[in-house]
Amino acid sequence: MLDALLTERVLEGGPFGSVTEWVAANILAIASLTTTDLQGALAVRAGDLDVTLERMSNAGLVMIDGDRVTLSASGLSALQAGRIKTSHVASRITQAITSADREATVRTLSAVRDIASRFRESGIPAK
């Protein structure tokens, strides 16, 4: 459901061609990464990342130098414009949820992130 809102508000008619590109831009706004690190952060297959980065590079959203990917000035500008578009939707969602529900959601998502990180680091158990 949130992906649909994101697509409707940000991606449609904008420079980002997919939710994966949007998430990649948000990650790269923090720091440039190697393709291996970006692939892990996005949890996508290498081939899918190659297609994503090629499209983003052709659109001028990222710069690729060897194995390092950096968000370009155009990419940062597009990301900031997209964030402004999504802020209205995000504020409406936030206003509709109680603070207790938000706290429970943050705890749950934090637990899921921690578990997923441990699996990524040690591998998914056989049983």
Side-chain angles (χ1 to χ4, degrees):
M1 179 173 208
L2 288 176
D3 283 352
L5 281 172
L6 179 64
T7 301
E8 179 184 318
R9 290 284 180 167
V10 178
L11 302 181
E12 189 174 297
F16 298 104
S18 68
V19 172
T20 301
E21 289 182 18
W22 170 257
V23 174
N26 275 278
I27 292 167
L28 293 170
I30 298 167
S32 66
L33 294 174
T34 65
T35 53
T36 302
D37 290 339
L38 184 58
Q39 179 185 351
L42 292 172
V44 295
R45 294 179 299 207
D48 294 337
L49 180 63
D50 292 342
V51 170
T52 296
L53 290 179
E54 180 179 359
R55 208 212 73 72
M56 290 181 78
S57 178
N58 290 340
L61 300 171
V62 297
M63 299 174 295
I64 302 170
D65 183 16
D67 189 28
R68 183 144 303 271
V69 183
T70 304
L71 192 63
S72 69
S74 295
L76 181 59
S77 178
L79 178 64
Q80 290 169 336
R83 286 177 174 171
I84 290 169
K85 288 181 180 180
T86 60
S87 66
H88 175 69
V89 173
S91 69
R92 297 285 303 268
I93 291 170
T94 301
Q95 291 171 2
I97 300 172
T98 67
S99 62
D101 286 342
R102 278 193 298 277
E103 291 169 10
T105 301
V106 168
R107 281 192 310 275
T108 301
L109 292 175
S110 180
V112 169
R113 184 190 63 233
D114 292 346
I115 292 166
S117 294
R118 286 195 301 269
F119 281 156
R120 185 174 43 217
E121 292 167 4
S122 64
I124 297 174
K127 291 185 178 185

